[in-house]
Amino acid sequence: MSDARTDRDGLASPQRRHVLGRGLALVGGAVVGNAAAEKAAAESAAAPPDVPEWMKAPGADVGSEPYGSPSRFERDLIRNIPKSLPQYTSASSRTPLQDLDGIITPNGLFYERHHGGIPEIDPDRHRLMIHGLVERPLILTMAEIRRFPSESQIYFLECSGNPGFEAMTGRTASDLVGLVSCAEWTGVRLRTVLEEAGLKPEARWVVAEGADAAAMTRSIPLAKCLDDAMLVYSQNGERLRPQQGYPLRVLLPGFEGNMSVKWLRRLNVTAEPAHSREETSKYTDLMPDGTARQFTFMMEAKSIITRPSGTQRIARGFNEITGIAWSGRGRIAQVEVSVDDGQSWTVAQLQAPVLTRALTRFRLPWTWEGAPTTILSRATDETGYVQPHFAELTAVRGVKSFYHNNAIIPWRITASGEVTNGFLKA
Amino acid sequence: MSDARTDRDGLASPQRRHVLGRGLALVGGAVVGNAAAEKAAAESAAAPPDVPEWMKAPGADVGSEPYGSPSRFERDLIRNIPKSLPQYTSASSRTPLQDLDGIITPNGLFYERHHGGIPEIDPDRHRLMIHGLVERPLILTMAEIRRFPSESQIYFLECSGNPGFEAMTGRTASDLVGLVSCAEWTGVRLRTVLEEAGLKPEARWVVAEGADAAAMTRSIPLAKCLDDAMLVYSQNGERLRPQQGYPLRVLLPGFEGNMSVKWLRRLNVTAEPAHSREETSKYTDLMPDGTARQFTFMMEAKSIITRPSGTQRIARGFNEITGIAWSGRGRIAQVEVSVDDGQSWTVAQLQAPVLTRALTRFRLPWTWEGAPTTILSRATDETGYVQPHFAELTAVRGVKSFYHNNAIIPWRITASGEVTNGFLKA
């Protein structure tokens, strides 16, 4: 069993104990990054804790929450919703990445992006129509869709404007790249359903349409539909939430989130793409020469340090640097962390399992001596692609683009341990 | 990319298309296992769907739920709470396994077992004391615990009375074995914290105490504490729910759930076990000779078919058999399914990733021709241990035991497709 342990954490080294040895000296002192906790720590060192009042009487009944919810002490841990939007029908809310651990995003905190609000769909009345260049047009009920062979996969989902090129002024990790989340999805391989309908030889695209007020419409290349694309009805074990497309959505692993059409009602198999609004005036990339790149589906390799990150504060001594990395092209091969603004890089530990097109958690132990600095992370995926600096990105793409910004995110740390967005002036 | 697909589903074979071909004939007809869906399917074959009313007006605003919840059409998908308990302070609620997909249990539906109700703990006032046979007794705040190096692991958790030997009369999969769930846990390796305190040479056990009204107390062998045991503060990304031990619990992968003490306030390092109530009068196994086995920690290999399962109904033709398997000793090596009451067995597909001490989802395509039968699943883990029939279990253990019943679960299928508990008389 000790072998398994060594496999899993990769940290069982003399160096680790040394780091912890330094940590120990700190644990007894005032080290914890905010005044209240420092005070509490100082008190706790003085006397053992009394029996707390919550041990002196029975607690709440089993089943007091037939469907559970977080502690009331966590009521501020909610989706990050812009306060200044003109309207909320076509808008987004972000996952609070800086407060989350691991790689699974709980359904209640999964990011949202809607173009016509969130429809409330009766699953018994919902239908999926498959038509166009098929041998046998089909109209399927949800019960019929659930009869197909199923699969479950852990995949990230990310909005392609995460963040927009001109939207890098946020304070927190969530403000910057909170339009990414990760879940275990269950459904049927899209290929299976298309084979049921029978593709005609001239089929090249599948146009997906949502049953929301925006009738969200995106064209998906047939190759993706026959590869790892899914029709999804469950997320993290339970049925999709309304915000995520209940009762049925497309899931295109690694592609920009907008294409994973929610509230799916129609798949039209075609020879040409639809050139819908969301693939012409929107979700295209304006290049320096004035042309627009269309059908830029892939979400390239990216990472962000979530702790320490903007608005947090660190103390001198041991700090674990941790964050998430992901690539639409497959597995994360490596994440490097710099604690000196890019002068040098150290390979971080990756938490197993490292899954294709899923978030990957990385960690690096770090002892901060108190000098101001900037910390960075950069991901490399299994294709060898390396996450670029923002300047490298704009050298190719110019500054007129909005979508597909996967630049390295810098966090500035002041002498007092405050962490701020390194894109902004100090 | 097509290679990846073949790797992942293992189903890309001519046989699969044949099964689907048969399925196709059925999809157009009345095949879907309940009358309402059959009616809907018949209607849908007659005419294409109109534009539904939920496309004709904007839906709910983004952020209408800062912390999301399931669709109101899923309001019956809740924890399975016994209706006839004399009281609910020391009781349990079960995960609705038959309605869930994949391996991750959403936090709102994770099973509960409490002995003194659910305490409501202020994390800023919570303390963990580590004392006894240590060099440096420690009292840690939650902020201090979060400064230690972290790890994230997907592990199942299971009550040892799941089901009790005399409690195999339930109707659903949840009634029978709903005291098992699985999540991604984040926290600190217990070994790391114990090394911080410094173990004295005579240390052999660690006695964990919860801050609930039961002061739940269990003795953990030191070897487990130095292996894969964790102190956990997050579950599926967010902070632990109150029902799961907020703000801090022990997590002992593969051991009976009761030992993963919730609301953890104290770790007393000792030379001998505490012989607490929960490891003497309870959580021991009464053998045929009248002696009681004590400290039977390990949850042995087990599986259950969750679909089709009790109270569900199947239609003739293609049905996917799916369920979950797990072992406290490591990875699941194989799950076999029998569709003829154990006369013959077929190896099921395992959904990757197959993780140590996590739920593993298995699936087997099946065409049911309408004959009454009984279906079974049996798990084999990486140690070679095979899940026993109930008769094999009682031959060794007798019938006076309550805990550690990992028997094969039979589901009887009638000629009309109804599925019932095969332990009960037909």
Side-chain angles (χ1 to χ4, degrees), chain A residues 246-267:
Chain A
Y246 181 86
L248 187 69
R249 76 175 303 165
V250 178
L251 201 292
L252 303 179
F255 278 22
E256 59 185 16
N258 177 258
M259 297 179 69
S260 288
V261 172
K262 299 190 280 192
W263 314 292
L264 182 72
R265 74 184 293 261
R266 201 146 73 100
L267 295 169

Side-chain angles (χ1 to χ4, degrees), chain A residues 381-393:
Chain A
D381 69 20
E382 63 181 325
T383 72
Y385 176 93
V386 181
Q387 182 183 7
H389 287 282
F390 187 61
E392 295 170 315
L393 195 62

Side-chain angles (χ1 to χ4, degrees), chain A residues 57-301:
Chain A
D61 280 352
V62 166
S64 52
E65 289 191 308
Y67 190 96
S69 59
S71 164
R72 69 179 180 90
F73 292 102
E74 300 296 334
R75 63 187 145 199
D76 293 334
L77 188 45
I78 56 176
R79 292 188 179 113
N80 176 9
I81 300 163
K83 299 291 185 290
S84 57
L85 284 178
Q87 50 76 30
Y88 289 82
T89 303
S90 176
S92 58
S93 73
R94 293 159 194 262
T95 293
L97 299 173
Q98 65 278 2
D99 290 314
L100 298 188
D101 297 298
I103 63 168
I104 297 292
T105 310
N107 291 343
L109 297 173
F110 208 91
Y111 88 87
E112 301 171 84
R113 174 72 175 102
H114 322 303
H115 295 248
I118 308 155
E120 184 177 54
I121 297 181
D122 179 346
D124 290 340
R125 294 175 53 210
H126 188 69
R127 297 291 180 273
L128 173 64
M129 179 162 66
I130 300 154
H131 67 129
L133 297 173
V134 297
E135 301 293 343
R136 297 172 292 276
L138 295 172
I139 295 177
L140 301 174
T141 66
M142 284 307 301
E144 287 165 343
I145 290 166
R146 284 189 69 90
R147 288 201 65 188
F148 283 91
S150 64
E151 69 169 326
S152 302
Q153 302 286 353
I154 297 174
Y155 290 132
F156 77 83
L157 196 68
E158 183 184 18
C159 182
S160 55
N162 187 39
F165 268 53
E166 296 166 15
M168 291 157 77
T169 58
R171 299 170 68 229
T172 68
S174 178
D175 293 343
L176 279 164
V177 300
L179 295 174
V180 66
S181 304
C182 184
E184 185 194 35
W185 310 93
T186 299
V188 51
R189 195 66 71 105
L190 178 50
R191 179 189 190 115
T192 304
V193 176
L194 292 176
E195 287 175 348
E196 193 87 354
L199 293 168
K200 291 191 172 174
E202 58 271 36
R204 292 292 178 276
W205 294 79
V206 176
V207 180
E209 181 186 282
D212 59 334
M216 173 55 61
T217 299
R218 289 297 306 258
S219 310
I220 310 167
L222 187 63
K224 184 69 173 179
C225 295
L226 299 180
D227 181 27
D228 55 3
M230 297 173 68
L231 300 183
V232 160
Y233 41 74
S234 286
Q235 180 178 359
N236 291 336
E238 66 186 0
R239 302 296 182 277
L240 284 173
R241 299 288 179 85
Q243 293 85 350
Q244 294 307 318
Y246 181 86
L248 187 69
R249 76 175 303 165
V250 178
L251 201 292
L252 303 179
F255 278 22
E256 59 185 16
N258 177 258
M259 297 179 69
S260 288
V261 172
K262 299 190 280 192
W263 314 292
L264 182 72
R265 74 184 293 261
R266 201 146 73 100
L267 295 169
N268 185 11
V269 181
T270 61
E272 299 292 338
H275 295 292
S276 73
R277 172 182 183 275
E278 311 298 341
E279 55 205 32
T280 51
S281 78
K282 302 290 181 185
Y283 296 99
T284 54
D285 304 317
L286 190 54
M287 300 297 283
D289 66 0
T291 62
R293 297 197 314 186
Q294 194 181 11
F295 302 129
T296 48
F297 305 136
M298 191 61 80
M299 301 306 293
E300 302 288 357

Side-chain angles (χ1 to χ4, degrees), chain A residues 16 74 147 150 192 318 320, chain B residues 16 147 150 246 318 320:
Chain A
R16 179 187 186 185
E74 300 296 334
R147 288 201 65 188
S150 64
T192 304
F318 179 79
E320 181 177 78
Chain B
R16 180 190 186 185
R147 288 200 65 187
S150 64
Y246 181 86
F318 179 78
E320 181 177 77

Side-chain angles (χ1 to χ4, degrees), chain A residues 17 20-21 24-25 27, chain B residues 129-140 192-200:
Chain A
R17 293 198 178 86
L20 287 175
L24 173 63
V27 164
Chain B
M129 179 162 67
I130 301 154
H131 66 130
L133 298 173
V134 295
E135 301 294 343
R136 295 171 293 277
L138 295 172
I139 295 177
L140 300 175
T192 305
V193 176
L194 292 176
E195 287 175 348
E196 193 86 355
L199 293 167
K200 292 190 173 175

